[in-house]
Amino acid sequence: MYPQVAPLLTNMEEVVGSVEDKEYTCFSNAIPIHKNSSILSVEVVKNIETAVNEGKLGEVASIVKDISQEVSRNTVKIAVTGDSGNGMSSFINALRLIGHEEEDSAPTGVVRTTQKPACYSSSSFPNVDLWDLPGTGVTAQSMENYLEEMDFEKYDLIIIIASEQFSSNHVKLAKAMQRMRKRFYVVWTKLDRDLGTSAHSEPQLLRSIQESIQENLQKEGVKVPPIFLVSNFKPSSHDFPKLRDTLKKDIPSMRYDGPLGTVFQICEKTINEIVESINKSIDEDNLKSIGISNPDNLGECQKVFQERFGVDDRSLHQVAPIMNQPDVYSRIAKQSQVTQRDQQAGRTLSQLSCSGIKRFYTRFNDNIRCCFESRRHRHMSQKHVLDEVAQQTKNILREILKQSIILPQEG
């Protein structure tokens, strides 16, 4: 049993990887797929394209369901970085709720203790690797070299640790993460020491630290990420509970967004190609070739377009059983409801009133003539209906992708 899905995949149009990146192999005309991907193989990509092209969203849902099953077992990799001495190793121990003296704890000390990346796990975060990275304070090592050496591309989340001051290195790290489109948090540690030495009240001090981090990031054009203020010696106090809750909410997104985002790009590209093909038929006054007997009837155009994309009522009813969610039909059906005020069955173009396309009249010999009777405006209105159906198809695919996400039942 799985509960409601998380609000993920809100921006699936973003490119998953640079087409020029050597780690990516491009299938389907520059849809970037990682060359080592065992989930989105060439065969799977082609099957998705074929299903969308044939208007078989039930088959798309079935493929997506299989992909989600595989993705649910993926390990999420979280890297912890910052200036040496900021308490990265102590933070990892505190996040895992273990003491420094325990056997599996990350080594800590006043000198630089982490010389190479070390991996840790926690029962609180199943299938998650916590990587303790060496700090940035290595002499004669530029930030560019550090970024390359640590290979941040392979991590799903970067936690930037800071204390005492939010240094230029922290800003550079944040800027690099934004440039790489990496999800990242900023965590201020050693809050206990700040509270012990500051003349300000606790609310004033917390606000001052938050504002300082935000200002330093905004000066460099970095979008402010989630910020948490913690004490490594009090893993149940301050922002630690909030941090753990945020992680538990974000981890499924880290696991699914990449593969399912790529699936959406594949679907969107195929839909756009169908639209381009139908637009050509519209320009050639050849809609009868796709089964429209009366191209002047927008109701018929809408019906045929919906059948072509597989978003007619009959097709959508076939999706729900595949998703194993009885109420999924009502959710995706809402996405398919193209505005009916302009596409009422049996009404011809010359009978329609304005619908997103400006209609005007001219009086000639006391007769009113509508611009929709012209070839150009007939094409415009047909394309308007086509675009609406295509957009609703994309919305339905987003819903299918969202509903496929597997979240473990809360214990």
Side-chain angles (χ1 to χ4, degrees), residues 120 123 126 161 240 360:
Y120 301 92
S123 58
I161 302 295
F240 254 127
F360 65 91

Side-chain angles (χ1 to χ4, degrees), residues 15-209:
V15 178
V16 177
S18 170
V19 182
E20 291 79 18
D21 194 326
K22 293 181 180 179
E23 293 188 356
Y24 290 86
T25 300
C26 299
F27 302 123
S28 311
N29 298 329
I31 294 293
I33 313 249
H34 200 286
K35 65 183 179 183
N36 295 322
S37 174
S38 59
I39 297 173
L40 288 174
S41 64
V42 179
E43 181 182 3
V44 170
V45 172
K46 294 299 182 186
N47 288 342
I48 294 170
E49 290 177 327
T50 299
V52 175
N53 191 52
E54 294 178 356
K56 297 178 179 178
L57 296 196
E59 289 187 14
V60 176
S62 181
I63 295 169
V64 167
K65 184 179 175 183
D66 291 341
I67 291 173
S68 291
Q69 290 286 350
E70 292 191 56
V71 171
S72 68
R73 297 187 288 270
N74 280 1
T75 298
V76 170
K77 298 178 181 178
I78 300 175
V80 179
T81 183
D83 281 343
S84 295
N86 281 167
M88 282 100 74
S89 299
S90 296
F91 165 77
I92 286 181
N93 290 337
L95 183 64
R96 298 163 68 212
L97 294 171
I98 67 172
H100 302 317
E101 70 286 349
E102 296 188 35
E103 183 178 351
D104 191 35
S105 64
T108 62
V110 293
V111 296
R112 188 180 181 217
T113 53
T114 304
Q115 304 295 327
K116 60 181 180 180
C119 183
Y120 301 92
S121 61
S122 170
S123 58
S124 300
F125 305 104
N127 291 331
V128 172
D129 287 344
L130 294 167
W131 285 88
D132 186 7
L133 303 186
T136 60
V138 184
T139 56
Q141 185 187 38
S142 68
M143 179 56 67
E144 290 73 19
N145 289 339
Y146 179 80
L147 292 169
E148 183 176 352
E149 184 181 339
M150 294 301 109
D151 192 16
F152 283 99
E153 285 287 357
K154 69 182 180 182
Y155 299 107
D156 302 293
L157 170 70
I158 316 298
I159 299 180
I160 300 174
I161 302 295
S163 64
E164 299 182 51
Q165 65 171 338
F166 197 70
S167 71
S168 60
N169 277 343
H170 294 122
V171 176
K172 288 177 182 177
L173 279 169
K175 201 170 183 178
M177 296 307 106
Q178 179 170 279
R179 184 177 66 248
M180 295 162 66
R181 293 185 177 182
K182 286 292 178 183
R183 187 192 301 259
F184 69 98
Y185 302 163
V186 170
V187 176
W188 182 275
T189 62
K190 304 184 182 180
L191 188 57
D192 55 304
R193 186 174 63 183
D194 298 324
L195 291 169
T197 59
S198 175
H200 298 293
S201 67
E202 181 171 336
Q204 288 176 320
L205 178 63
L206 298 181
R207 185 167 57 252
S208 175
I209 295 172

Side-chain angles (χ1 to χ4, degrees), residues 181-304:
R181 293 185 177 182
K182 286 292 178 183
R183 187 192 301 259
F184 69 98
Y185 302 163
V186 170
V187 176
W188 182 275
T189 62
K190 304 184 182 180
L191 188 57
D192 55 304
R193 186 174 63 183
D194 298 324
L195 291 169
T197 59
S198 175
H200 298 293
S201 67
E202 181 171 336
Q204 288 176 320
L205 178 63
L206 298 181
R207 185 167 57 252
S208 175
I209 295 172
Q210 284 265 6
E211 290 175 352
S212 175
I213 295 172
Q214 292 172 2
E215 288 172 6
N216 278 286
L217 292 174
Q218 289 171 341
K219 283 178 185 176
E220 294 299 320
V222 178
K223 184 178 179 181
V224 177
I227 299 173
F228 305 94
L229 311 183
V230 304
S231 166
N232 289 337
F233 294 107
K234 296 182 178 180
S236 299
S237 301
H238 304 297
D239 281 346
F240 254 127
K242 179 183 173 184
L243 170 58
R244 291 191 187 91
D245 287 344
T246 303
L247 272 173
K248 288 177 180 179
K249 290 176 182 176
D250 283 354
I251 282 171
S253 176
M254 299 174 210
R255 187 170 278 127
Y256 285 94
D257 277 3
L260 296 191
T262 302
V263 169
F264 180 80
Q265 289 183 70
I266 295 166
C267 295
E268 184 179 47
K269 172 182 171 291
T270 306
I271 291 168
N272 291 342
E273 289 173 349
I274 296 172
V275 169
E276 185 178 346
S277 174
I278 296 177
N279 275 333
K280 185 176 179 182
S281 295
I282 290 173
D283 291 335
E284 295 173 351
D285 288 319
N286 193 29
L287 283 180
K288 291 185 179 181
S289 66
I290 62 171
I292 298 175
S293 59
N294 181 9
D296 279 353
N297 188 327
L298 287 188
E300 183 184 354
C301 290
Q302 176 202 332
K303 181 176 181 293
V304 173

